[in-house]
Amino acid sequence: MRQRVMRVAVVAVLVALVLLATPLALGIQTSFFADERDELERTALAAAVHVPPFVVGGHVELPPHERGIDVGVYDLSGRLRNGSGPRTADAVARAARKGLVVRGRGDHRLVVAVPLSTREQVIGTVRASSSTAEVWRRIVLAWLGLAGIALVALTTAVAVARRQARTLSAPLEALSAKAGAVADGDLTARAEGSAIAEIDRVARTQNTMVEHLTRWLEHERHFSSNASHQLRTALAGLQLGLEAAATGPDAEQRAAVTEALDQVRHLQRTVDEVLRLARATPRPGVPTTVRPATEVVEGVERRWHGTFATGGRRLGVDVEPGARGLSIPDRAAEQILDVLLDNALRHGRGTVRVTVRETGGAAAAMDVSDEGSLKLGGRAVFERGATTSRGGSGIGLTLARELAEAAGGRLTLARSEPTTFTLLLPATEPPPSDG
C-alpha cells in the first residue's frame, strides 16, 4: 500500500508541475522577447531624441547605449550615417520612414526602428538591434531555474508522500497482523486504535466481531463439553449395570448384555471423540488412531446386524482380498458408516451391503449400497437441511461428509439407483513381517 500511495502522490505532483510549468515556460519565453523588444525601442527612441538635426554630409553623434545593442542612424536614402548595423537600411528601417515605430526580425536578430524627425518632418531612421542568441541564453537560464524549483517541489512531494504513506499504511498493516493472528487461532488479539477515523472504525468493528466470535466459540465448546460430560456420566452408570448383569448365570441374558456392552463401548468412544474435539481444534487429515479395515467393518456389522434383522432387512459385509491388510482411521470410519447404515435403514430398501476395496493408491474405498433410489443429486444430498425422505433432519449425511474431510478423506454419492455411497479414507499397509 505504501508504494501505491507514493505512486499516486508523485503522479499527481508531476501532473500538476507539468500543467503549471508548461505555460509558465512559454510565458517566460514570450516575456523575455517582449522585454528585449521594449528595451530596443527605448534605446532607439533615446537615440532619436538626442541625435541633432543633420544635413547631407554632416556628422551625427549617438548617445551612449547598453552593450550588446547595435544602434545606427540612417538617412532617407538608406545610408548608414553613424553607429553600427547594415550599411544600407533593411526592410524594418525603411518601413520606419513612414513615421511609425516598426518591430521585426532579421538575420537572427531582433530589430526595432523609429523615425527621426525635425519640425514634423522625417529626415531619417534610428535602428536598434540585438542578437536572439543572447535572449535565448537568458530564457534557458530561466528555464533551468524553473526546472530546479520543480525538482525541489517534486523531492518535497516524495518526502511528504512517503511520510503520509507510512501514516496510512502503518495502522492497516497492524490491523492485518491482528486479523492474521485471529485467523491463526489467537482470539485474544485485538486491533489498536489509530489517528485515522475510517481505519479506527474498521478496527473497532473487527474487535467487536472477534469478541462475538469468541463468545460463540466458548458457548459451543462449553455446550459440547457439558453434553459430553453428562453423557459420559450416564453411560458410566449404564455400563456398570450391564457388566454386573453380564456376570449372571443366564447364558442368553449374558449374550444380550454383552452385545449391549459393545454398543455402550462404541457410544463411549464416540462421546470421547466429541469431547476431544470440543477441547481442541482438530487438524484435518490427522487421524487419532488406525485399525485394520476388516476389524472396523466387522465391528460395524456386529452392532447393526440385530437392528437390520429386527426390521426385516439384511446387512452384508464384503472385504476384497486386496483390502484386508489396509489400516484406516477407525473412529472416523465407524461414525461415517453408522450414519450411512442408519440412512440406508431409514430411507433405503432391501439388502444393504458394505464393500471394502483397495483403490490402487494410499486409500481404501468403502461402498455402502442398498436397493433404493435417490431423487436428490450428488451435491444436494450433502447440503445441510436436505433430506432423502420425509421425517429426516438433513444433518446426518452433511455430518458424515464433514467427518470424512476432517480425516483426510472424501464421501460421495456414487450412484442414485441403486443408492450407493463411496467413502474414501487414507490407508496404510502393515509393515512386512520378518521371516
Side-chain angles (χ1 to χ4, degrees):
M1 178 181 177
R2 293 187 181 185
Q3 296 297 328
R4 186 176 299 174
V5 172
M6 287 187 58
R7 193 181 303 116
V8 170
V10 171
V11 169
V13 172
L14 283 175
V15 171
L17 287 176
V18 169
L19 293 177
L20 179 63
T22 300
L24 187 58
L26 294 176
I28 289 174
Q29 177 183 343
T30 303
S31 175
F32 273 44
F33 274 105
D35 289 344
E36 184 66 16
R37 290 189 179 95
D38 290 342
E39 180 64 25
L40 292 176
E41 184 176 345
R42 285 194 296 270
T43 302
L45 289 173
V49 170
H50 290 85
V51 169
F54 60 87
V55 294
V56 177
H59 180 70
V60 178
E61 293 290 341
L62 289 174
H65 55 271
E66 186 178 344
R67 293 183 59 183
I69 299 178
D70 293 338
V71 179
V73 178
Y74 295 85
D75 57 21
L76 293 179
S77 64
R79 183 168 61 91
L80 177 65
R81 298 294 300 272
N82 194 9
S84 57
R87 289 183 174 276
T88 58
D90 56 9
V92 177
R94 289 195 301 269
R97 296 173 188 172
K98 299 178 181 180
L100 301 175
V101 176
V102 181
R103 296 183 176 189
R105 284 194 182 191
D107 196 18
H108 303 291
R109 299 182 71 84
L110 296 177
V111 180
V112 175
V114 299
L116 180 62
S117 60
T118 180
R119 298 178 183 178
E120 300 181 357
Q121 183 180 358
V122 176
I123 61 173
T125 59
V126 178
R127 178 185 180 276
S129 66
S130 63
S131 174
T132 56
E134 179 62 23
V135 181
W136 276 113
R137 187 184 69 82
R138 295 199 300 268
I139 292 174
V140 170
L141 290 177
W143 282 354
L144 290 177
L146 180 63
I149 295 174
L151 183 61
V152 171
L154 182 60
T155 304
T156 305
V158 171
V160 173
R162 183 174 299 176
R163 182 183 181 88
Q164 287 298 108
R166 286 197 300 267
T167 302
L168 290 173
S169 62
L172 287 177
E173 291 172 355
L175 184 61
S176 176
K178 295 298 182 181
V182 173
D184 291 337
D186 183 10
L187 297 181
T188 62
R190 295 292 184 273
E192 299 177 355
S194 66
I196 303 174
E198 293 79 2
I199 300 178
D200 190 48
R201 187 160 55 249
V202 173
R204 290 197 302 269
T205 302
Q206 176 176 306
N207 290 339
T208 303
M209 177 192 66
V210 174
E211 290 173 0
H212 291 170
L213 180 62
T214 303
R215 286 199 296 269
W216 290 336
L217 290 176
E218 287 295 325
H219 174 74
E220 292 294 332
R221 289 176 180 174
H222 290 165
F223 173 78
S224 300
S225 300
N226 294 338
S228 301
H229 180 271
Q230 294 302 105
L231 285 173
R232 291 185 66 185
T233 302
L235 286 173
L238 177 61
Q239 185 173 357
L240 289 175
L242 290 174
E243 289 175 349
T247 59
D250 192 342
E252 293 184 358
Q253 181 181 358
R254 285 201 304 274
V257 171
T258 300
E259 183 178 353
L261 279 172
D262 289 339
Q263 296 284 353
V264 170
R265 292 190 186 98
H266 173 67
L267 184 57
Q268 184 70 49
R269 289 196 300 271
T270 301
V271 173
D272 289 341
E273 183 70 7
V274 172
L275 185 59
R276 185 187 69 83
L277 295 175
R279 287 175 177 171
T281 302
R283 290 179 295 173
V286 183
T288 54
T289 58
V290 295
R291 280 193 299 153
T294 304
E295 294 183 10
V296 174
V297 295
E298 287 176 352
V300 171
E301 194 274 338
R302 285 196 301 270
R303 289 197 310 274
W304 285 92
H305 179 78
T307 304
F308 274 85
T310 302
R313 305 274 297 279
R314 290 183 57 191
L315 173 62
V317 173
D318 182 20
V319 181
E320 295 182 357
R324 293 185 182 278
L326 298 179
S327 297
I328 59 176
D330 54 346
R331 293 184 179 180
E334 287 177 347
Q335 295 182 46
I336 296 170
L337 289 175
D338 285 345
V339 172
L340 295 177
L341 291 176
D342 179 70
N343 186 74
L345 180 63
R346 292 173 179 270
H347 311 300
R349 294 185 303 176
T351 301
V352 178
R353 180 163 295 278
V354 179
T355 303
V356 183
R357 53 188 173 85
E358 185 184 15
T359 62
M366 288 180 280
D367 300 321
V368 180
S369 62
D370 60 60
E371 299 175 1
S373 61
L374 281 179
K375 296 181 180 180
L376 295 176
R379 292 185 178 181
V381 72
F382 294 106
E383 294 180 358
R384 187 172 295 273
T387 59
T388 54
S389 66
R390 293 183 179 179
S393 62
I395 298 177
L397 291 176
T398 304
L399 174 61
R401 190 171 199 177
E402 292 174 355
L403 290 172
E405 293 174 353
R410 186 171 72 252
L411 177 63
T412 59
L413 176 64
R415 287 191 301 272
S416 298
E417 186 175 357
T419 304
T420 303
F421 290 93
T422 298
L423 171 63
L424 292 175
L425 286 176
T428 57
E429 295 184 358
S433 58
D434 297 334

